[in-house]
Amino acid sequence: MGRTVTLWVDDNGAVASAPRTGAAAASDAVAAGAGSAALIALASAGVVLLRLRRLEARNLAEWEHGWERVEAGWSGRLRHGREAGDD
């Protein structure tokens, strides 16, 4: 008899589990930091991808517009709705 029994209680006096060790808290902090960094990197990559898609769409539209202007003369073909000698 006469052994010491450790009993953990919370602020209300209810039985609680033992507090986490420093190593457990440190590993949780490292995991949270790595997760946050990964989330920020993925969000940044998503923003860059969306911007690049918009830029590519705009560039393709500008190219298409420019090609419409020069294609008929360059290729020797008539544009839709035009006849020879309409120039």
Side-chain angles (χ1 to χ4, degrees), residues 8-85:
W8 298 98
V9 293
D10 62 13
D11 291 339
N12 297 326
V15 176
S17 60
R20 297 183 325 153
T21 64
S27 68
D28 287 349
V30 168
S36 297
L39 185 62
I40 290 170
L42 284 174
S44 298
V47 167
V48 168
L49 179 65
L50 289 175
R51 298 276 315 234
L52 288 175
R53 281 186 162 202
R54 286 181 56 195
L55 179 64
E56 182 180 18
R58 188 179 71 207
N59 285 341
L60 288 174
E62 288 176 8
W63 186 91
E64 199 61 43
H65 177 70
W67 181 244
E68 272 183 17
R69 289 182 296 156
V70 299
E71 190 266 337
W74 181 82
S75 68
R77 292 186 297 186
L78 296 174
R79 282 191 243 171
H80 182 68
R82 310 257 314 200
E83 295 182 17

